[in-house]
Amino acid sequence: MSTAPGTTLQMRNAEARGVRAENEFAKTRDEAAGCRRCELWERATQTVFGEGPVPAPLMLVGEQPGDKEDIEGHPFVGPAGRILAEALELAAIDREAAFVTNVVKHFRWRPSPNGKRRLHEKPTRANVTACHVWIERELELVRPQVLVAMGATASDALFGKDVSVMRDHGRPIESELAPTALVTIHPSAVPRARDDRDEMFDGLVADLRVAAGALEKGAG
């Protein structure tokens, strides 16, 4: 069965747009590698930029890279990444089809009392503001159908203070950044919970299932 000429042209145009987006993304990632917009680069190992297909139907945004991410240079490869991968699998979302990133690209940390570990420190508002140019570029290139902010830092950076993770999680919110926008907890909140870890994890999965439903609806 032959493909109609109009369809072939659309496919070629889409292919060309995809190649241009990938090239522009690589250029932007290289620029971010030398970012000195705030002080965090001084103590971090490297910039940890987003990863995944460009464009992508789903974009997942967290706070900042952790210790393992800082060392390896990839987002969500540490303990929080393992929790996220498990939650995505239970929500029937292919992680390889998602673009994952953070609103801050360098690891902010303090030494442990014995000096043997690097402990996570929440990035400051100044850190988030300085780094916002990179998340803006990622959004422009990824053009997600569904955008999920994970945790309060990401939610505040993308949607503002009027959106509350605990109040608004799992339901679409109005945003110009994507056709469907959602907030949920950061995966790292699950192991920090004491008595309700299972409940928090189940809530994360439930929120991601809302994202999966939006993806399915968009594909249809």
Side-chain angles (χ1 to χ4, degrees):
M1 183 178 178
S2 61
T3 304
T7 303
T8 301
L9 180 61
Q10 289 175 352
M11 291 171 63
R12 287 176 178 170
N13 287 341
E15 235 176 74
R17 286 195 300 271
V19 170
R20 285 196 297 270
E22 288 176 1
N23 291 340
E24 188 63 29
F25 176 76
K27 178 182 175 183
T28 304
R29 183 185 57 209
D30 290 344
E31 290 174 2
C35 184
R36 303 291 186 269
R37 296 176 66 87
C38 76
E39 80 287 353
L40 293 186
W41 69 273
E42 296 175 356
R43 300 180 68 198
T45 305
Q46 58 194 311
T47 301
V48 181
F49 211 59
E51 289 185 351
V54 178
L58 173 64
M59 185 168 174
L60 301 163
V61 184
E63 180 188 84
Q64 68 170 349
D67 182 75
K68 191 171 180 64
E69 288 81 5
D70 173 71
I71 293 169
E72 296 191 12
H74 304 287
F76 287 95
V77 293
R82 290 192 291 273
I83 293 170
L84 176 61
E86 183 180 354
L88 288 170
E89 184 177 0
L90 290 171
I93 294 175
D94 179 8
R95 177 170 173 166
E96 297 302 313
F99 185 90
V100 292
T101 191
N102 293 288
V103 292
V104 172
K105 309 303 185 191
H106 285 116
F107 179 35
R108 185 170 192 255
W109 59 276
R110 70 181 188 279
S112 62
N114 61 15
K116 293 183 178 180
R117 295 174 58 214
R118 298 189 302 173
L119 304 177
H120 165 278
E121 276 204 322
K122 183 177 179 179
T124 66
R125 182 182 294 274
N127 297 147
V128 175
T129 300
C131 219
H132 207 271
V133 61
W134 303 121
I135 195 73
E136 286 178 346
R137 291 295 291 130
E138 287 174 325
L139 281 163
E140 289 172 7
L141 295 167
V142 176
R143 294 183 285 115
Q145 289 296 308
V146 180
L147 173 64
V148 181
M150 300 183 295
T153 301
S155 175
D156 290 351
L158 295 176
F159 308 129
K161 291 287 187 181
D162 288 341
V163 176
S164 163
V165 172
M166 300 315 294
R167 183 191 66 221
D168 300 319
H169 71 93
R171 63 181 182 85
I173 58 178
E174 290 292 328
S175 174
E176 296 179 353
L177 300 178
T180 300
L182 301 164
V183 294
T184 188
I185 62 168
H186 193 282
S188 64
V190 174
R192 290 201 304 265
R194 293 185 178 181
D195 302 323
D196 55 354
R197 290 187 183 184
D198 290 343
E199 183 180 345
M200 290 195 74
F201 179 74
D202 290 345
L204 173 62
V205 173
D207 293 344
L208 291 174
R209 282 179 175 146
V210 176
L215 290 169
E216 187 176 349
K217 185 176 179 181

